[in-house]
Amino acid sequence: MKVLRSINEAGARRCLDIFRRDDGSYGFEEYRRDPEEASGWYPVGGQASRRFASQGEAEAAAHEAVAWLKDAEGGL
């Protein structure tokens, strides 16, 4: 899997990755981190298993599924 785009929410507590799988399909996942904990980023969106034929389709679906994305700097 290769991350093609990573978008951070203001405050950098949430992040969204758009990725391409080895089989050529695309997907996305939302992650969260709590700075006061050392556990790092962890998935919270439950979207990683969704498959799309193009990066554009994955980005459009992410925009619909992730409320903060449209307000994020550099958002979709």
Side-chain angles (χ1 to χ4, degrees):
M1 178 171 61
K2 178 180 180 183
V3 174
L4 304 172
R5 187 169 185 200
S6 188
I7 304 157
N8 288 313
E9 177 188 38
R13 286 184 168 247
R14 291 185 183 262
C15 163
L16 180 110
D17 286 348
I18 304 289
F19 54 84
R20 184 174 186 264
R21 293 182 187 86
D22 293 339
D23 68 3
S25 67
Y26 295 81
F28 70 93
E29 183 58 275
E30 181 182 9
Y31 297 89
R32 178 186 169 111
R33 73 176 176 153
D34 296 316
E36 61 275 2
E37 295 192 24
S39 59
W41 293 97
Y42 55 92
V44 295
Q47 304 287 336
S49 64
R50 295 177 67 185
R51 294 183 178 274
F52 302 92
S54 71
Q55 181 176 344
E57 289 177 13
E59 289 180 358
H63 194 268
E64 290 182 20
V66 180
W68 59 263
L69 190 56
K70 62 185 154 207
D71 295 327
E73 183 175 314
L76 304 175

